[in-house]
């Protein structure tokens, strides 16, 4: 799962006395989407002559952009931003591309083969973003034109859609021409567009694309609309957006996990308020709890306690429907980020107690009903139950706003492999025993879908992507894909400490430094770096741990300014 942004200002120009700083707004927008990816992030802008400037790196936005200091290095009136949560491959900053992609391609091996043997294009990373970018670029190249027009762009996209399978929402720049946004033909991954009056040129308009509406709304953009399944929009410099249906919609099926967990509650996605959907999830979950436990067991519950923060809204609805007190029994450390999207299991487990602490008076001697958005591996849930018992709870009931997760997520959220999922092969009683709770209660899948569908407009989503709960996915899944996914996950975990990428750029010289292939300034390797070199080979060359992107000026690799 990732966050993507695209922006083009109505005031186009490169006057040094009146700079067009698209990067300022892009940088601000990153913070409203930071929950979508904390592994790496970046911004790329386009300035005079079509030159692209970028700043990207591993870590969250404040770190990569030095609390905003790097933004001044990114001139231009258009740009894109990307927050990356790795779903496959490595977590190298090289995979945070100046082509912002949110989702997952389920035919990546086939695309890689096509690009290698037919298109003859070099693929530098294991990122789906780079694959899709190269497929699109190759289709543009097939026009044979030195300068493409809007129709060429849409036609190239249509051919790209025929090759690519999966779920995606993307923003991209055509250097010196405009900004592009497009969404998969099932509407799995979200993308919205907004507009506002230019602050520097009367009568002109700025346009921004983003994964969630909150990023647009907080920056003053209005007339926000969803990019529809199979739809693309291109905004040329100084012109209004042009929309085009590049592929006929195959469904209108947003990923329901966006509403359960991933999206911010103040976001409206495909016309459905995330906050309102979670309220309904809570009401329906309360009805399920009463059905399974009965009135006498409900009487024994002393408090309904959310696992902050995603489940706060649903827990309040559970409390209201059951007539039980709502208590904030856990305190969340606001300086610790989401543990779910930490790339390694050990980090997730340690992160739970770093992130949450129990208020003893809310647990001591009480029967507590804990409400969480979902249960994935069960390790976090088990730790939370242990914390409740340590605080003195006499009885712990654990309720999940989502149904049992029994299958892998294949459209951009790296939940877990089937063997890691606690609900795989277990009923709720076995799961309760595993996490040391008296009861575990799950939402019904039909109720979860209804909680969202009841809020949809007549022309809105007609169904939802729910494959993680039932193993039936909205798109066809290529034979052998799950084996490929497990193999990629295994490789990623095995080499989690290395940025393993292939490169045609600078080569790392053990014991010395980096010598640029184009005569660039050598970069010194850290002492002892040689012993940790990745063993992965490509064409006889060891993949470097640090690299510069060819033809891109990456401000993040320059020494920090004082």
């Amino acid at each position: 799962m990732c966050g993507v942004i695209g922006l083009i200002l109505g005031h186009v120009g490169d006057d040094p006395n009146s700079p067009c700083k698209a990067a300022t707004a892009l940088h601000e927008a990153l913070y409203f989407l930071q929950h979508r990816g904390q592994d790496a992030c970046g911004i790329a802008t386009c300035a005079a002559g079509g030159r692209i400037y970028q700043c990207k790196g591993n870590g969250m936005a404040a770190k990569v952009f030095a609390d905003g200091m790097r933004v001044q290095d990114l001139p231009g009136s258009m740009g894109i931003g990307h927050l990356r949560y790795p779903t496959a491959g490595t977590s190298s900053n090289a995979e945070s591309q100046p082509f912002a992609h949110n989702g997952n391609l389920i035919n990546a091996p086939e695309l890689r083969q096509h690009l290698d043997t037919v298109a003859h294009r070099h693929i530098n990373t294991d990122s789906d973003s780079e694959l899709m970018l190269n497929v699109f670029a190759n289709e543009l190249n097939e026009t044979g034109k030195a300068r493409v027009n809007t129709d060429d762009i849409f036609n190239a996209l249509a051919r790209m859609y025929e090759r690519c399978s999966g779920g995606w929402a993307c923003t991209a720049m055509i250097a010196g021409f405009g900004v592009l946004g497009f969404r998969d033909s099932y509407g799995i991954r979200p993308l919205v567009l907004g507009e506002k009056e230019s602050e520097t040129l009367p009568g002109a308009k700025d346009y921004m694309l983003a994964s969630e509406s909150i990023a647009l709304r907080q920056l003053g953009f209005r007339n926000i609309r969803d990019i529809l399944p199979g739809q693309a929009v291109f905004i040329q410099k100084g012109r209004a957006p042009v929309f085009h249906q590049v592929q006929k919609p195959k469904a209108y099926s947003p990923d329901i996990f966006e509403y359960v967990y991933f999206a911010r509650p103040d976001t409206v996605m495909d016309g459905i308020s995330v906050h309102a959907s979670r309220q309904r999830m809570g009401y329906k979950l309360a009805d399920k709890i009463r059905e399974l436990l009965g009135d006498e067991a409900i009487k024994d519950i002393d408090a309904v306690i959310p696992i902050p923060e995603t489940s706060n809204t649903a827990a309040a609805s559970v409390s209201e429907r059951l007539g039980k007190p709502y208590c904030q029994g856990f305190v969340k450390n606001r300086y610790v980020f989401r543990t779910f999207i930490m790339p390694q299991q050990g980090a997730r487990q340690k992160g739970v107690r770093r992130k949450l602490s129990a208020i003893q008076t809310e647990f001591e001697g009480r029967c507590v009903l804990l409400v969480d958005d979902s249960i994935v591996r069960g390790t976090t849930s088990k730790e939370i139950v242990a914390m409740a018992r340590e605080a003195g709870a006499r009885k712990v009931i654990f309720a999940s706003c989502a149904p049992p997760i029994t299958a892998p997520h294949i459209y951009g959220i790296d939940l877990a492999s089937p063997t890691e999922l606690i609900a795989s092969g277990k009923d709720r009683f076995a799961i309760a025993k595993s996490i040391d709770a008296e009861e575990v209660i799950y939402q019904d899948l039909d109720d979860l879908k209804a909680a969202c569908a009841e809020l949809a407009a007549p022309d809105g989503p007609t169904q939802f992507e729910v494959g993680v709960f039932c193993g039936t996915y909205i798109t066809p899944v290529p034979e052998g894909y799950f084996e490929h996914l497990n193999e990629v996950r295994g490789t990623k975990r095995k080499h989690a400490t290395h940025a393993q990428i292939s490169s045609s750029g600078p080569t790392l010289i053990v014991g010395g430094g980096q010598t640029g292939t184009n005569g660039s300034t050598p970069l010194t390797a850290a002492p002892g770096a040689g012993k940790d070199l990745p063993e992965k080979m490509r064409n006889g060359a060891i993949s470097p741990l640090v690299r510069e992107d060819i033809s891109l000026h990456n401000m993040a690799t320059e020494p920090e300014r004082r």
Side-chain angles (χ1 to χ4, degrees):
M1 181 65 64
C2 298
V4 301
I5 310 162
L7 172 67
I8 185 164
L9 301 179
H11 185 183
V12 179
D14 295 284
D15 182 354
N17 298 316
S18 180
C20 297
K21 296 294 289 184
T24 302
L26 288 166
H27 173 250
E28 187 69 19
L30 290 178
Y31 292 98
F32 295 108
L33 299 180
Q34 184 74 81
H35 60 287
R36 300 187 68 88
Q38 67 186 63
D39 184 76
C41 67
I43 290 173
T45 59
C46 185
R51 186 178 184 187
I52 294 174
Y53 293 78
Q54 71 168 3
C55 178
K56 68 178 185 176
N58 287 342
M60 293 191 282
K63 173 189 172 185
V64 172
F65 291 94
D67 292 321
M69 292 176 60
R70 294 292 189 190
V71 174
Q72 63 183 322
D73 299 322
L74 301 171
S77 54
M78 70 174 82
I80 58 175
H82 190 197
L83 293 143
R84 175 170 162 78
Y85 161 59
T87 55
T90 73
S91 56
S92 163
N93 64 17
E95 295 191 4
S96 180
Q97 300 283 345
F99 168 88
H101 168 271
N102 171 29
N104 212 41
L105 297 175
I106 60 177
N107 66 332
E110 173 190 329
L111 294 175
R112 191 174 292 273
Q113 178 74 10
H114 167 75
L115 290 169
D116 185 24
T117 62
V118 179
H120 305 302
R121 284 183 170 265
H122 173 71
I123 303 302
N124 224 32
T125 72
D126 295 320
S127 169
D128 284 357
S129 305
E130 189 181 8
L131 285 177
M132 181 171 273
L133 172 61
N134 273 275
V135 173
F136 178 46
N138 188 61
E139 295 300 340
L140 280 176
N141 189 56
E142 291 298 312
T143 64
K145 295 181 178 179
R147 297 290 184 271
V148 296
N149 58 37
T150 303
D151 288 340
D152 294 328
I153 291 169
F154 290 142
N155 290 335
L157 270 181
R159 294 191 296 272
M160 185 199 78
Y161 272 55
E162 292 299 320
R163 292 195 181 278
C164 297
S165 298
W168 60 78
C170 303
T171 58
M173 283 189 299
I174 308 295
F177 191 26
V179 169
L180 175 68
F182 52 94
R183 191 178 182 189
D184 67 83
S185 56
Y186 296 89
I188 298 170
R189 299 264 64 88
L191 189 64
V192 290
L193 171 72
E195 63 180 53
K196 72 172 183 178
E197 298 296 323
S198 170
E199 296 177 359
T200 55
L201 183 63
K205 286 187 176 181
D206 302 338
Y207 295 94
M208 179 177 273
L209 292 147
S211 297
E212 296 188 28
S213 62
I214 181 61
L216 305 184
R217 197 169 71 246
Q218 290 297 97
L219 291 176
F221 287 84
R222 298 294 180 261
N223 299 326
I224 297 172
R225 59 173 287 178
D226 293 285
I227 304 303
L228 298 175
Q231 189 179 62
V233 58
F234 184 72
I235 309 127
Q236 187 176 341
K237 291 190 301 185
R239 299 192 183 181
V242 177
F243 296 88
H244 185 75
Q245 195 69 40
V246 295
Q247 188 174 73
K248 183 179 178 181
K250 296 177 180 177
Y252 198 166
S253 304
D255 183 355
I256 208 163
F257 216 74
E258 290 275 4
Y259 300 95
V260 170
Y261 173 81
F262 226 87
R264 280 178 50 145
D266 45 3
T267 281
V268 176
M269 196 169 281
D270 290 303
I272 299 171
S273 162
V274 174
H275 174 74
S277 70
R278 289 176 184 169
Q279 284 182 314
R280 294 194 177 220
M281 289 175 205
Y283 291 133
K284 293 178 187 299
L285 179 59
D287 293 341
K288 180 68 179 292
I289 292 168
R290 187 178 294 279
E291 174 192 334
L292 291 179
L293 298 186
D295 290 336
E296 287 303 312
I298 298 297
K299 291 177 183 178
D300 190 41
I301 296 173
D302 296 304
V304 177
I305 298 177
I307 311 304
E309 294 177 330
T310 316
S311 63
N312 289 0
T313 303
S317 296
V318 171
S319 167
E320 178 187 338
R321 183 64 63 94
L322 295 180
K324 293 295 177 177
Y326 174 83
C327 302
Q328 291 281 356
F330 288 103
V331 175
K332 180 181 178 183
N333 184 343
R334 68 183 63 185
Y335 303 106
V336 176
F337 216 67
R338 281 180 154 177
T339 56
F340 167 80
I341 59 176
M342 288 180 176
Q344 294 185 52
Q345 177 73 350
R348 280 190 295 269
Q349 288 178 274
K350 291 179 181 178
V352 176
R353 287 182 183 260
R354 193 181 306 133
K355 183 177 73 170
L356 298 176
S357 58
I359 302 174
Q360 190 167 342
T361 54
E362 299 301 317
F363 291 91
E364 201 164 26
R366 307 176 92 182
C367 172
V368 294
L369 171 58
L370 305 183
V371 179
D372 206 351
D373 51 77
S374 58
I375 306 172
V376 183
R377 299 167 182 84
T379 49
T380 298
S381 304
K382 184 174 183 178
E383 199 71 26
I384 288 169
V385 172
M387 292 167 65
R389 294 202 185 279
E390 290 166 11
R394 64 178 173 84
K395 197 173 184 179
V396 179
I397 301 168
F398 204 101
S400 168
C401 294
I405 297 173
T406 58
H409 194 289
I410 65 172
Y411 302 115
I413 304 177
D414 189 13
L415 288 179
S417 66
T419 56
E420 296 173 309
L421 297 170
I422 194 170
S424 181
K426 289 189 178 78
D427 61 18
R428 71 182 188 92
F429 301 106
I431 294 168
K433 185 176 180 180
S434 294
I435 68 171
D436 195 29
E438 272 73 18
E439 294 276 358
V440 166
I441 300 168
Y442 285 98
Q443 183 90 265
D444 282 337
L445 180 55
D446 287 343
D447 285 342
L448 175 61
K449 291 190 286 188
C452 299
E454 290 166 1
L455 297 167
D459 59 348
T462 55
Q463 54 186 312
F464 296 89
E465 163 49 39
V466 294
V468 292
F469 305 118
C470 60
T472 301
Y473 301 90
I474 196 68
T475 68
V477 181
E479 185 178 351
Y481 176 72
F482 294 109
E483 291 78 5
H484 165 74
L485 194 61
N486 287 334
E487 181 182 344
V488 170
R489 281 193 179 114
T491 302
K492 179 174 71 173
R493 288 165 187 162
K494 181 179 179 182
H495 302 293
T497 59
H498 299 309
Q500 291 199 20
I501 53 173
S502 300
S503 174
S504 55
T507 302
L508 186 62
I509 308 300
V510 181
Q514 275 190 341
T515 303
T517 55
N518 57 358
S520 60
T521 304
L523 301 176
T524 304
K531 64 181 174 61
D532 292 322
L533 284 176
E535 297 300 325
K536 187 175 179 182
M537 305 286 287
R538 183 181 177 93
N539 298 328
I542 298 178
S543 297
L545 294 175
V546 181
R547 63 184 291 279
E548 290 282 352
D549 283 290
I550 300 167
S551 301
L552 291 177
H553 191 182
N554 187 9
M555 301 299 179
T557 60
E558 293 184 349
E560 187 172 337
R561 292 182 175 144
R562 301 296 179 187

